[in-house]
Amino acid sequence: MGKALDGVRVLDFTHVQSGPSATQILAWLGADVVKVEAPTGDITRKQLRDLPDADSLYFTMLNCNKRSITLNMKSDRGKQLFTEMIGKFDVMVENFGPGAVDRMGFPWEKLQELNPRLIYASIKGFGDGPYTHYKAYEVVAQAMGGSMSTTGFEEGPPLATGAQIGDSGTGMHAVAGILAALYQREQTGRGQRVTVAMQHAVLNLCRVKLRDQQRLTHGPLKEYPNKEFGDTVPRSGNASGGGQPGWAVRCAPGGPNDYVYVIVQPVGWEPITQLIGRTDLTEDPEWATPEARLNKLDKMFQLIEEWSINHTKWDVLAMLNKHNIPCGPILSTKEIINDDSLRANDMVVDVPHPQRGTFTTVGMPIKLSDSPAEVERSPLLGEHNRDIYVQELGVAEEELAELSANGVI
């Protein structure tokens, strides 16, 4: 059986992370993704290199299953080749600075004229308005989307999350928009514009904090561990901020990631008191109900930690799960790479590469029963120039060499 997006062709003008994360998902879903790079290549091919003269992990882990061609869009012949190409593709994705594609001579109206069925997706830092032309990076999006002001401990500075919610998070939002546009095209026969802003995507992922901002007008947020509240949602450390209190408790032997995150549901209180050897608290009116525990969450998790610090996080995980108590060990990046479950689910995979040998990457997080993804290596720079220019566009072999020599490809 074929892949979900078999027959869909994507012209990928993306670079760095937000765009490539989106087009990689489309490639894993079966689309033919042709990455268009300047003759010098995506900047991440050479960024954060761990091996000389080999594409960096930054590039290889965001560009699997794609083909690569080179094209200088500033040259007249380059623009002509692009004009010939665009009609052969269903989707074009870019994450250049605002207005960059327009300045190349290809605004949306022109692209629509060249290919009425084209879905043109753009990822930008911000939407229309005063921020439109500001530069955006991962942590800038976190700062302006609501994440940083609510991340960290109350007495400390705002913190960025290690999860790339600004870049890859925006990429996943772009995938949703592209797939929706492809589906709608089946009914209308027309392509359309898809735009996603990094600030908007981060805000969407922070919606529960805006929920709490509105709740705050009616009084303190009792499920937060903070003692005092101002007029904004505070940073609350590792508190879940949800209906059930949670916290990371220390475990043996006390290393930087020897923690288990524990959530205390009403039904879980009695087995927790048994595990920690405090059955006297099971029926104690000062502790027995969630309402009674709300004003002493710090003490509650301290009691749990006095027990957990005597056991490894794996033992704590086993004991808590035996009683169906929601929890999870804090996994280091090293533990994740070696995790048997993640490898068994093809979420951590090893991929052969002609320059690097073998590298480890994150697999496809979306599982389809009829068309499982197969992770293939990222392309070398311009590896598929001949496939596209000669075989598809009819460029003569002699001209291909000439185009390369003249910096057009």
Side-chain angles (χ1 to χ4, degrees):
M1 186 172 290
K3 300 293 184 183
L5 294 184
D6 273 354
V8 173
R9 303 195 69 193
V10 179
L11 203 56
D12 178 3
F13 275 92
T14 70
H15 58 288
V16 191
Q17 184 181 166
S18 62
S21 67
T23 52
Q24 181 171 253
I25 290 286
L26 297 175
W28 280 341
L29 289 170
D32 175 21
V33 177
V34 178
K35 184 177 179 71
V36 183
E37 303 179 66
T40 52
D42 185 324
I43 190 173
T44 60
R45 284 186 183 269
K46 297 179 181 179
Q47 280 188 335
L48 306 177
R49 271 181 168 165
D50 57 319
L51 295 175
D53 303 319
D55 287 336
S56 72
L57 290 167
Y58 196 177
F59 179 85
T60 62
M61 293 178 71
L62 284 161
N63 292 283
C64 290
N65 293 59
K66 304 177 185 180
R67 298 196 285 166
S68 168
I69 63 172
T70 51
L71 184 64
N72 181 357
M73 287 290 288
K74 295 179 180 179
S75 68
D76 290 340
R77 182 58 171 138
K79 291 178 181 179
Q80 184 182 6
L81 289 168
F82 170 77
T83 301
E84 294 174 23
M85 259 193 298
I86 195 65
K88 298 178 179 292
F89 286 83
D90 302 282
V91 181
M92 173 177 158
V93 189
E94 59 90 16
N95 64 330
F96 295 118
V101 178
D102 291 18
R103 291 191 294 274
M104 293 175 191
F106 296 97
W108 167 230
E109 294 75 18
K110 177 67 173 177
L111 291 171
Q112 212 172 18
E113 179 185 316
L114 292 170
N115 183 354
R117 290 174 56 81
L118 182 71
I119 291 153
Y120 175 28
S122 296
I123 294 174
K124 303 301 174 198
F126 306 97
D128 293 336
Y131 310 138
T132 300
H133 295 286
Y134 289 10
K135 285 187 176 180
Y137 287 83
E138 169 64 46
V139 183
V140 171
Q142 289 190 32
M144 297 182 69
S147 176
M148 288 187 72
S149 69
T150 55
T151 302
F153 285 85
E154 186 174 23
E155 65 277 8
L159 295 177
T161 174
Q164 303 289 283
I165 61 175
D167 276 323
S168 287
T170 305
M172 299 310 101
H173 284 74
V175 170
I178 291 165
L179 294 178
L182 281 169
Y183 182 79
Q184 188 170 14
R185 194 180 69 176
E186 292 298 305
Q187 281 75 52
T188 66
R190 297 178 63 248
Q192 62 181 296
R193 193 85 164 86
V194 176
T195 57
V196 185
M198 294 169 69
Q199 182 191 30
H200 299 174
V202 171
L203 175 59
N204 185 45
L205 296 174
C206 291
R207 66 174 60 238
V208 296
K209 298 303 180 181
L210 265 69
R211 171 202 69 189
D212 292 345
Q213 177 64 39
Q214 296 171 85
R215 292 174 59 231
L216 190 59
T217 62
H218 302 288
L221 305 172
K222 295 181 179 179
E223 72 284 356
Y224 280 54
N226 307 69
K227 301 302 182 186
E228 297 180 2
F229 289 86
D231 60 357
T232 64
V233 176
R235 293 186 280 281
S236 54
N238 286 321
S240 69
Q244 312 297 336
W247 200 258
V249 296
R250 290 184 300 165
C251 301
N257 292 299
D258 288 324
Y259 288 82
V260 167
Y261 195 87
V262 183
I263 293 176
V264 181
Q265 298 174 312
V267 70
W269 179 241
E270 181 176 354
I272 285 175
T273 61
Q274 294 172 358
L275 282 170
I276 69 176
R278 292 299 305 270
T279 54
D280 57 304
L281 303 178
T282 305
E283 302 295 338
D284 185 335
E286 292 293 316
W287 289 92
T289 66
E291 293 74 22
R293 295 190 292 271
L294 267 181
N295 66 350
K296 44 182 171 287
L297 293 179
D298 53 348
K299 178 62 176 175
M300 178 182 74
F301 286 109
Q302 181 184 335
L303 291 171
I304 296 172
E305 187 169 274
E306 288 172 359
W307 163 75
S308 64
I309 194 62
N310 297 304
H311 308 277
T312 70
K313 62 186 178 184
W314 300 107
D315 288 340
V316 171
L317 175 69
M319 287 186 278
L320 291 175
N321 270 286
K322 187 176 180 180
H323 295 280
N324 203 30
I325 296 166
C327 63
I330 308 304
L331 297 184
S332 70
T333 49
K334 183 177 181 180
E335 288 171 321
I336 285 172
I337 281 181
N338 294 304
D339 188 84
D340 289 339
S341 175
L342 291 173
R343 284 189 171 272
N345 283 275
D346 292 327
M347 280 309 302
V348 175
V349 295
D350 296 323
V351 181
H353 188 276
Q355 293 176 334
R356 302 189 56 87
T358 297
F359 69 94
T360 301
T361 192
V362 178
M364 171 58 146
I366 304 166
K367 310 296 185 183
L368 301 183
S369 61
D370 283 353
S371 52
E374 299 162 4
V375 179
E376 300 170 358
R377 70 168 174 86
S378 58
L380 303 179
L381 180 62
E383 183 176 350
H384 302 93
N385 280 349
R386 179 168 280 98
D387 293 352
I388 301 298
Y389 295 128
V390 175
Q391 296 179 11
E392 289 199 30
L393 300 187
V395 172
E397 288 281 357
E398 297 78 11
E399 188 189 3
L400 188 71
E402 195 175 291
L403 292 173
S404 179
N406 293 336
V408 176
I409 63 172

